[in-house]
């Protein structure tokens, strides 16, 4: 049997996907960290006071050693070394939650000239009614650079990449929704009758200045991927 391929078009993945996944590999390799949120959601932690107490202590360490120093430096801008503080403290104390990983991503993405922005996730019913927010920090990459994004279900956003440095993946929005609902269902507890909607207007991330880029180029060359 002869199969005609005249109407079949093969396209390669945009290079930005490969670059983003290389940056994600740096984060997962260089920033091993304990998350209080993940501890509290373990099945064995449910109703276990010892595990919940551990999660509380980890979250307190994140606040004390990661977030407070970061924002103290940020308030000194443009002279503050907030990203240096973030990197060094996560590597030192080995604790971080999703918001901290999102800042790490923003730093490494900007160092590698990858255009991404923070976004929010919401629960919606099958008919599109808003059911609440998902407390989770992610970034997005718009593969259609000349097209504006709008609030839409992930399943319909085939030209958007979801960047989740806390979970360690970069994937197309429809695939990301399946991961949130099924692969990581115990963490997000998304009802079966709900879908996930993206809000691409979640504000901006702390700036990565040229002087910061020069600092990391000199002191952390492993943060720069080969194009």
């Amino acid at each position: 049997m002869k199969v005609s391929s005249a109407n079949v078009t093969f396209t390669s993945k945009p290079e930005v996907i490969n670059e983003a996944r290389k940056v994600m590999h740096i984060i997962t390799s260089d920033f091993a960290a304990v998350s209080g949120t993940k501890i509290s959601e373990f099945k064995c932690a449910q109703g276990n006071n010892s595990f919940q107490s551990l999660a509380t202590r980890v979250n307190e360490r994140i606040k004390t050693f990661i977030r407070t120093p970061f924002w103290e430096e940020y308030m000194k801008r443009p002279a503050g070394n907030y990203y240096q503080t973030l990197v060094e403290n996560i590597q030192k104390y080995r604790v971080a939650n999703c918001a901290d990983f999102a800042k790490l991503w923003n730093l490494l993405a900007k160092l590698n000239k990858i255009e991404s922005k923070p976004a929010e996730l919401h629960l919606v019913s099958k008919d599109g009614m808003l059911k609440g927010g998902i407390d989770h920090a992610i970034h997005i990459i718009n593969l259609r650079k000349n097209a504006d994004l709008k609030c839409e279900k992930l399943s319909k956003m085939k030209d958007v990449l979801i960047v989740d440095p806390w979970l360690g993946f970069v994937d197309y929005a429809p695939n990301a929704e399946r991961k949130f609902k099924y692969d990581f269902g115990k963490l997000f507890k998304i009802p079966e009758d709900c879908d996930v909607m993206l809000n691409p207007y979640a504000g901006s991330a702390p700036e990565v200045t040229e002087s910061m880029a020069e600092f990391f180029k000199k002191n952390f060359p492993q943060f720069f991927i080969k194009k």
Side-chain angles (χ1 to χ4, degrees):
M1 181 177 66
K2 183 178 180 180
V3 179
S4 173
S5 59
N7 296 320
V8 179
T9 301
F10 296 94
T11 58
S12 60
K13 292 181 180 178
E15 184 60 28
V16 67
I17 300 178
N18 295 326
E19 294 176 356
R21 287 175 174 168
K22 289 178 182 178
V23 171
M24 186 65 72
H25 179 71
I26 295 172
I27 292 177
T28 57
S29 300
D30 286 23
F31 294 95
V34 177
S35 166
T37 303
K38 289 181 180 178
I39 292 174
S40 66
E41 295 300 330
F42 286 151
K43 184 177 181 180
C44 58
Q46 304 304 307
N48 187 311
N49 291 334
S50 295
F51 271 96
Q52 296 303 323
S53 177
L54 174 61
T56 298
R57 294 198 301 273
V58 169
N59 286 331
E60 288 174 350
R61 286 176 63 84
I62 292 172
K63 179 180 178 180
T64 300
F65 298 117
I66 308 301
R67 296 186 178 175
T68 297
F70 177 88
W71 290 115
E72 286 178 347
E73 285 296 317
Y74 182 75
M75 295 306 294
K76 300 176 185 177
R77 64 188 191 283
N81 297 316
Y82 40 93
Y83 278 115
Q84 177 185 347
T85 298
L86 179 74
V87 166
E88 293 177 348
N89 284 353
I90 291 180
Q91 290 186 333
K92 178 179 180 180
Y93 295 104
R94 298 294 182 181
V95 291
N97 276 332
C98 62
D100 315 297
F101 275 107
K103 294 183 182 67
L104 276 179
W105 165 265
N106 186 66
L107 168 65
L108 270 66
K110 297 300 186 291
L111 293 180
N112 288 284
K113 310 299 183 184
I114 297 174
E115 295 183 16
S116 72
K117 59 180 292 187
E120 295 178 348
L121 299 173
H122 298 276
L123 293 175
V124 293
S125 63
K126 297 298 181 181
D127 59 1
M129 296 295 292
L130 187 64
K131 293 295 184 178
I134 298 176
D135 185 14
H136 189 45
I138 62 166
H139 270 241
I140 59 173
I141 298 173
N142 184 4
L143 297 179
R144 298 178 64 186
K145 294 184 179 181
N146 296 324
D148 292 331
L149 296 177
K150 61 180 181 179
C151 294
E152 184 61 272
K153 291 183 180 181
L154 294 184
S155 59
K156 297 182 179 180
M157 306 187 81
K158 298 179 180 180
D159 294 317
V160 173
L161 294 178
I162 301 298
V163 179
D164 193 326
W166 188 62
L167 295 176
F169 73 79
V170 177
D171 211 337
Y172 291 95
N175 295 337
E177 182 180 41
R178 288 190 286 271
K179 290 180 179 180
F180 292 140
K181 294 183 69 172
Y182 304 112
D183 295 354
F184 303 104
K186 292 181 180 179
L187 289 172
F188 296 104
K189 299 181 174 63
I190 299 172
E192 284 294 327
D193 61 346
C194 284
D195 295 321
V196 182
M197 182 185 78
L198 180 74
N199 173 12
Y201 306 106
S204 58
E207 181 185 10
V208 180
T209 65
E210 291 185 9
S211 61
M212 291 177 185
E214 287 301 317
F215 169 83
F216 284 103
K217 188 174 183 179
K218 178 179 179 181
N219 294 280
F220 293 86
Q222 69 272 27
F223 288 177
F224 293 82
I225 64 174
K226 293 182 180 179
K227 299 288 185 175

